[in-house]
Amino acid sequence: MSKSSQPIDDFARELSRETRDAVLSSVVTRTAGRKAKLEADYKDPDLLRRLAGKVKQHTVEHLDEYLEQAEAALTKNGAKVHFASTAESARETILEILRNKGATRMVKSKSMVTEEIHLNDFLEKQGVECVETDLGEFIIQIDGDTPSHIVQPIIHKNRRQVAESFEKHGLGAYNDDPQTITHRARKHLREKYLQSDAGMTGANFVSAESGRIVIVTNEGNARFGMAANGLHIALVGIEKVVPRDKDLGLFLNLLGRSATAQQLTVYTQFINGPRSKSQPSGPKEMHVVFLDNGRSKVLASKERDILRCIRCGACLNVCPVYRQTSGHGYRAVYGGPVGAVLSPLLAGDDFPKYADLPKASSLCGACHEVCPVNIPIPELLLRLRSRANKEGIKSAGAPPMAPFARMATSPKLWQTAMTASRAMNHLPITMMPIQPLQAWLKIRTLPKWRGGEFRKWMKERGGVNSGGRNE
Amino acid sequence: MSEARDTVMRAVRQALSDLQEKTPLPEYDSEILICAKYREGEVGGWLEFGENFAAVSGRPLTEVGELLVFLKEEGNDSGYCDPSLKERVGTVLEESGLKVHYEYEHDKVDDYTFGITRASGVIAESGTVVLNDEDTVDRLAALAPWVHVAVIENEPIFETIPEAIENLGDSSNVIWVTGPSKTADIEGILIEGVHGPGVQICLKLD
Amino acid sequence: MLMATCLSDVFFADMAKATVEVLESVGCEVIFPEDQTCCGQPAFNSGDFPAAEKVSRYTADVFAGDLPVIVPSGSCAAMHFHGTQLLFEDKQDTGEVESLAGRTWELFDFLVNGLGVKKWEGELNKRIALHHSCHTRGTDTGAAMETLLGSISGIELVKVGTPEQCCGFGGTFSVTFPHLSGEIGQVKLESVLEQSPDLLVSADMSCLMHMGGLAEKQNMDIETRHAVQVLRDVSLASQ
Ligand code: SF4
């Protein structure tokens, strides 16, 4: 068997057709929807992408200043601002906030950054119940699974699978009607909201100017998580800051359209402080925890552009590799093109563990084309490949490049090789010398070798010279 | 806490210390963010809002009578109403036999099939209802019932999203609601009414 | 000057010939520097920048001068003008490489936007599915190819679903990730076949090699042709 030793290739090979097709059909629809919406709504959507890219690039390049501004604005409004440089310190900080209030029941809205620090497991061990309230995340939680997409966590599951796990977890007899499933979740989670004593969220953006934290959800779960209890904690990656309120308009317009083909996500919340005297309801305490967890290292690298990412998922949806693997193929919290860049970088010293991910791309560039903040993902992948190469990290199944370079810089060697390759026509493919080529040929044919033919023809016409080389 | 702050800020400054050229903050006119459909429509105001609100499954209404008919048809016979709207809305419903509560009791959340609260404005371009915490009597009242009725009287109609952003005001908690609560998590199939309202109504009273 | 690409060297002699004939028919004199090898992309994409740099410098040397360099492949052309920017970002002595980048044209971009050829005489009664190679994103090649082929009478250009999707080749990617590459190609191929075209045409031979190879293995009936071969054949037929 020609089993490739690239883990993501193996993963894709072993992924069930059912799962692959679930992912594929969903992202094809999303990709088409995104494009149609942007093109219907704007004469030149690219103009906005480029602008947003510049605003965010500017922000990350001045992150120290904007973080301080955001901190000051939030503090002035009565929110408590914390910083955490590692996942561990973030977990401890959050636990301490909860302990101080005696909170033991927390409801959470969808947040990739809490996945990143594995918050749920930790808090559960400390006796805090954490309930995911986004429908998809809730299903992930009861299944003990992990999200396979940053916007649609259960893209890899179909309704039958969801119905089965609802039945298994005592949420009613088997019924795979999505309406029924949603209704049961509504009922179940409603109780959790009402009994909760803390609400946890991430943030999509933070305006440095006003400290406003923007959280968007379609389900309304983030709002509900802050409607019935007295404590709101937001865990926010330091790169989520944008300079001004005005810029929120820019990013919200792009986020909704890129993620879900919506002009605006249904619930868009702007929060920059706890409940004041003139507000009849809402949490009396608001804590914001800014998380580094490797981001400052990314900031120091030449791949810092990836920090512009607004987690819209468009690059996952359009990526031909993601379409064959789902997010789980990427073995980390962030999958798809953005994950292939971010995971190796956030891994810090564990870079070699994820150094294969940047290679798992045909560099087709579709991700760059759809990215609302214009991140040149293929370029970043190449930079990481170069880094892996410099660090001498082996890549399974990759042909070595030194012999190629030797050949390609010597016209004599090159021409001989090109002509000699003609001999291959007479070899049965199973006897071909290079192992990877056999894998290639299992599912494809190669055209007839015609080494040297064109050169001969060209020479006969007299169009050949020695070029600009001065040897 | 401040130690952690120093660590993070130092790391960020350190990371940026070698950066020679920095990208300037681009200036732009928020005009460019406005949706082409809105520009071409040239309708504006409540009508524009109504059209766009309906496009996201919202129901724009201008008469309490219409609201009454809708609530009755759908069998929503008992709900909550902001006491400040008792005179203009609540009593009209009561007179027609609906049960209206003016005090929101948290342990009766599931008994209210509708919730009538005040909105702070709407956005025409996107069909969005703006809710400020100062104007919302209780967050749950605008969220838990199956039908949420957001009422505006003289509150502003913002034409565009940028205009609404400029007018976020002093409230520390503003939310924009663009249609009913929804999900497409299961096989991409759209389901309305996940945690929040399955029906979102905006009632404009003169 | 013509950069024929390494794939023409080994496989696609006819495509290279067609390129020469088409360029000559619009009044160009075609020079083929004999010492040319490859653009260096395989090493570049593998992350072996030192090896790529060697090949890239070598190629810049072979094509030194001030003549335009025409490449019948968006991917190799892009290596010259995009790839080298990253490869040489902190490097000294990049004059020749930059010069080559500035003079390199993808063939169809050159024909339509460089020479101003907007119409191709001749007739061909075929349904043609176009595949836009990924490396022509952001350049004008796709539109240029559509303009020229679309101007030939009798040709019906059919739209392929999900045009932004890659054929899955990706050079060394197809060798290192054979399963992924094959499945991606399969999805693409199916969307092409849905349109039941007579011909599958692209401005990049490597994509065609991949899709054609997949199809042939499954005995699927689809003929592939480089767009420049179509131009040449149409001209020949009308003579
Ligand atoms: S990298 Fe760009 S396209 Fe991908 S998730 Fe981030 S913002 Fe969206």
Side-chain angles (χ1 to χ4, degrees):
Chain A
M1 281 302 294
S2 66
K3 195 170 150 70
S4 153
S5 42
Q6 285 287 344
I8 192 168
D9 204 51
D10 293 342
F11 182 91
R13 186 179 291 113
E14 275 143 34
L15 191 68
S16 77
R17 271 283 134 157
E18 193 183 16
T19 306
R20 206 268 326 241
D21 292 346
V23 173
L24 190 61
S25 75
S26 170
V27 299
V28 167
T29 314
R30 297 264 173 165
T31 299
R34 181 205 74 91
K35 190 166 187 298
K37 182 76 182 155
L38 275 165
E39 284 173 3
D41 289 358
Y42 294 111
K43 248 204 328 259
D44 185 6
D46 271 350
L47 185 92
L48 293 190
R49 288 176 49 239
R50 285 196 299 271
L51 175 65
K54 285 207 188 98
V55 173
K56 203 73 202 280
Q57 186 71 13
H58 163 85
T59 317
V60 300
E61 288 174 2
H62 298 78
L63 195 56
D64 48 346
E65 297 162 33
Y66 288 123
L67 268 176
E68 280 180 339
Q69 275 185 38
E71 179 194 20
L74 280 162
T75 310
K76 195 176 123 237
N77 274 356
K80 292 214 172 65
V81 179
H82 311 254
F83 287 83
S85 62
T86 61
E88 193 196 347
S89 106
R91 291 190 297 258
E92 292 294 342
T93 305
I94 293 165
L95 179 64
E96 200 185 310
I97 299 168
L98 292 167
R99 288 246 162 100
N100 284 342
K101 293 288 289 180
T104 55
R105 281 165 304 186
M106 188 167 88
V107 281
K108 269 184 72 195
S109 73
K110 187 173 153 21
S111 144
M112 289 309 290
V113 71
T114 58
E115 299 278 341
E116 185 185 318
I117 67 163
H118 304 292
L119 183 65
N120 291 5
D121 280 354
F122 169 79
L123 289 181
E124 296 275 352
K125 282 197 194 105
Q126 305 294 329
V128 180
E129 182 195 45
C130 305
V131 180
E132 294 287 350
T133 58
D134 172 86
L135 179 61
E137 292 285 347
F138 173 69
I139 292 162
I140 292 285
Q141 189 176 36
I142 59 176
D143 281 353
D145 202 349
T146 55
S148 59
H149 189 285
I150 58 182
V151 176
Q152 312 159 77
I154 54 164
I155 194 170
H156 59 296
K157 291 183 199 287
N158 59 33
R159 59 173 102 180
R160 197 175 42 67
Q161 293 163 316
V162 175
E164 277 163 10
S165 56
F166 264 54
E167 188 178 26
K168 199 167 111 201
H169 292 94
L171 294 160
Y174 182 93
N175 186 324
D176 63 11
D177 170 31
Q179 181 94 50
T180 308
I181 295 171
T182 308
H183 212 83
R184 286 174 177 174
R186 176 184 174 101
K187 234 178 127 228
H188 175 81
L189 289 169
R190 185 153 287 204
E191 267 166 41
K192 297 290 180 188
Y193 288 127
L194 297 173
Q195 292 160 359
S196 68
D197 37 33
M200 175 97 211
T201 69
N204 295 88
F205 309 103
V206 182
S207 159
E209 177 185 347
S210 61
R212 282 185 216 276
I213 288 191
V214 180
I215 302 164
V216 307
T217 72
N218 271 319
E219 297 180 8
N221 54 320
R223 176 68 170 179
F224 224 133
M226 289 178 240
N229 57 55
L231 175 62
H232 171 207
I233 308 172
L235 178 66
V236 186
I238 51 174
E239 83 285 13
K240 293 283 162 192
V241 190
V242 300
R244 306 160 292 200
D245 282 7
K246 168 187 176 176
D247 302 314
L248 297 174
L250 173 63
F251 289 107
L252 284 170
N253 269 300
L254 281 167
L255 177 62
R257 289 180 173 91
S258 304
T260 45
Q262 289 169 284
Q263 185 170 10
L264 284 175
T265 313
V266 176
Y267 285 86
T268 303
Q269 299 168 254
F270 303 83
I271 309 166
N272 63 354
R275 165 180 173 182
S276 68
K277 288 207 177 61
S278 53
Q279 289 168 225
S281 64
K284 288 203 178 107
E285 262 187 46
M286 176 187 183
H287 294 260
V288 180
V289 183
F290 282 112
L291 176 74
D292 181 339
N293 199 29
R295 287 165 174 74
S296 57
K297 291 237 173 64
V298 183
L299 190 60
S301 75
K302 283 203 163 162
E303 294 84 28
R304 72 176 66 84
D305 300 26
I306 200 67
L307 294 177
R308 291 185 218 158
C309 174
I310 59 171
R311 307 281 189 270
C312 73
C315 62
L316 282 69
N317 296 343
V318 82
C319 175
V321 173
Y322 176 87
R323 289 176 174 201
Q324 297 295 335
T325 59
S326 86
H328 289 160
Y330 295 78
R331 314 192 303 279
V333 176
Y334 304 101
V338 57
V341 177
L342 208 48
S343 306
L345 286 168
L346 289 180
D349 292 340
D350 276 341
F351 175 76
K353 221 172 116 191
Y354 297 103
D356 62 308
L357 295 177
K359 306 207 169 177
S361 160
S362 68
L363 300 174
C364 75
C367 46
H368 184 186
E369 198 169 77
V370 298
C371 177
V373 281
N374 200 26
I375 300 175
I377 295 178
E379 181 194 311
L380 303 182
L381 294 172
L382 280 162
R383 286 183 188 280
L384 292 171
R385 290 179 188 190
S386 167
R387 177 174 159 195
N389 186 269
K390 267 193 220 141
E391 294 179 12
I393 301 162
K394 290 265 171 318
S395 172
M401 284 300 140
F404 159 78
R406 217 172 306 125
M407 239 168 67
T409 48
S410 154
K412 284 235 172 53
L413 273 180
W414 183 265
Q415 282 170 41
T416 321
M418 292 304 121
T419 326
S421 60
R422 240 183 146 153
M424 299 261 190
N425 270 342
H426 307 294
L427 290 176
I429 51 166
T430 43
M431 281 166 62
M432 281 235 179
I434 326 161
Q435 197 272 340
L437 202 58
Q438 284 186 35
W440 213 91
L441 286 164
K442 270 186 106 74
I443 51 168
R444 313 165 184 82
T445 61
L446 269 183
K448 219 163 165 281
W449 292 75
R450 300 194 177 279
E453 191 177 313
F454 171 68
R455 285 174 187 264
K456 202 164 141 248
W457 178 83
M458 199 63 197
K459 213 169 209 151
E460 281 161 14
R461 315 182 100 218
V464 173
N465 76 4
S466 58
R469 273 182 91 226
N470 21 28
E471 252 184 330
Chain B
M1 183 198 110
S2 65
E3 200 183 308
R5 181 189 186 281
D6 289 347
T7 313
V8 174
M9 292 306 292
R10 210 179 315 119
V12 170
R13 283 199 193 99
Q14 177 74 35
L16 294 170
S17 61
D18 283 345
L19 204 59
Q20 305 282 321
E21 269 170 60
K22 291 194 180 186
T23 313
L25 179 60
E27 278 311 325
Y28 59 95
D29 188 340
S30 289
E31 215 20 50
I32 60 167
L33 304 177
I34 300 165
C35 177
K37 196 171 85 237
Y38 173 83
R39 285 176 204 272
E40 284 152 20
E42 281 174 25
V43 185
W46 172 259
L47 279 182
E48 176 87 30
F49 164 79
E51 225 171 80
N52 293 326
F53 190 52
V56 291
S57 310
R59 287 164 192 270
L61 303 178
T62 49
E63 307 274 345
V64 182
E66 292 174 301
L67 175 65
L68 178 66
V69 171
F70 175 82
L71 291 177
K72 282 201 137 179
E73 267 175 12
E74 303 278 315
N76 299 293
D77 47 11
S78 165
Y80 167 82
C81 178
D82 179 338
S84 73
L85 288 164
K86 179 171 181 180
E87 207 176 305
R88 299 202 67 183
V89 186
T91 43
V92 184
L93 304 182
E94 283 181 287
E95 278 161 15
S96 298
L98 296 187
K99 182 109 194 66
V100 183
H101 305 263
Y102 298 98
E103 198 174 321
Y104 195 88
E105 290 177 59
H106 279 205
D107 49 353
K108 293 206 180 125
V109 168
D110 291 326
D111 297 346
Y112 310 117
T113 60
F114 58 87
I116 302 169
T117 67
R118 284 183 182 279
S120 320
V122 297
I123 310 173
E125 181 197 355
S126 52
T128 300
V129 175
V130 179
L131 309 176
N132 280 2
D133 255 8
E134 281 74 3
D135 299 327
T136 307
V137 278
D138 192 297
R139 289 187 182 189
L140 280 176
L143 201 56
W146 184 255
V147 181
H148 175 227
V149 185
V151 179
I152 60 169
E153 290 179 297
N154 298 315
E155 283 75 15
I157 297 176
F158 303 116
E159 285 298 322
T160 64
I161 294 173
E163 189 189 329
I165 295 239
E166 262 172 51
N167 291 284
L168 279 170
D170 297 328
S171 175
S172 66
N173 202 303
V174 179
I175 79 167
W176 292 356
V177 184
T178 312
S181 152
K182 66 179 189 184
T183 181
D185 272 347
I186 303 169
E187 292 187 10
I189 297 159
L190 180 71
I191 305 290
E192 291 176 342
V194 190
H195 308 278
V199 177
Q200 186 70 56
I201 292 173
C202 184
L203 173 65
K204 180 174 162 52
L205 300 175
D206 294 326
Chain C
M1 279 190 283
L2 172 67
M3 162 127 188
T5 80
C6 53
L7 281 179
S8 321
D9 244 345
V10 279
F11 296 124
F12 304 115
D14 185 64
M15 182 277 287
K17 290 179 198 169
T19 305
V20 174
E21 285 165 345
V22 162
L23 283 170
E24 285 177 351
S25 76
V26 293
C28 297
E29 184 195 338
V30 182
I31 298 165
F32 180 84
E34 194 179 11
D35 288 351
Q36 63 180 277
T37 55
C38 171
C39 62
Q41 205 178 169
F44 179 62
N45 287 355
S46 302
D48 190 343
F49 284 15
E53 188 187 336
K54 271 186 220 141
V55 180
S56 205
R57 283 192 190 275
Y58 170 83
T59 298
D61 193 19
V62 169
F63 287 92
D66 49 15
L67 294 173
V69 174
I70 313 304
V71 194
S73 152
S75 153
C76 313
M79 178 65 208
H80 287 181
F81 43 71
H82 293 316
T84 52
Q85 280 176 20
L86 171 59
L87 188 55
F88 290 91
E89 72 176 347
D90 300 320
K91 295 278 160 34
Q92 306 280 308
D93 200 12
T94 56
E96 276 195 352
V97 175
E98 274 168 39
S99 153
L100 176 60
R103 286 179 289 123
T104 299
W105 292 81
E106 183 282 324
L107 173 63
F108 274 78
D109 194 14
F110 180 69
L111 287 172
V112 173
N113 300 311
L115 298 177
V117 182
K118 302 259 152 87
K119 165 122 189 69
W120 201 258
E121 293 300 333
E123 192 183 337
L124 183 69
N125 291 309
K126 283 202 157 59
R127 271 171 76 80
I128 291 186
L130 284 185
H131 169 64
H132 294 286
S133 95
C134 294
H135 286 109
T136 57
R137 266 176 226 283
T139 71
D140 213 26
T141 301
M145 184 170 63
E146 270 179 45
T147 307
L148 274 187
L149 293 181
S151 75
I152 296 170
S153 71
I155 285 188
E156 185 193 348
L157 295 178
V158 294
K159 288 227 178 325
V160 176
T162 60
E164 83 291 343
Q165 287 294 300
C166 174
C167 74
F169 176 61
T172 49
F173 171 75
S174 66
V175 179
T176 318
F177 300 87
H179 175 81
L180 279 172
S181 161
E183 284 297 317
I184 295 168
Q186 193 67 26
V187 171
K188 183 84 210 184
L189 196 58
E190 277 160 22
S191 67
V192 169
L193 291 177
E194 247 167 50
Q195 306 302 320
S196 40
D198 302 318
L199 269 183
L200 170 60
V201 170
S202 168
D204 223 309
M205 218 56 223
S206 52
C207 312
L208 292 176
M209 172 171 91
H210 191 229
M211 287 188 279
L214 280 168
E216 196 176 47
K217 196 80 180 180
Q218 303 168 70
N219 293 317
M220 283 174 172
D221 189 23
I222 180 81
E223 222 184 300
T224 58
R225 201 78 57 82
H226 192 289
V228 77
Q229 291 172 295
V230 176
L231 295 189
R232 192 255 333 255
D233 295 349
V234 163
S235 295
L236 278 182
S238 66
Q239 267 166 23

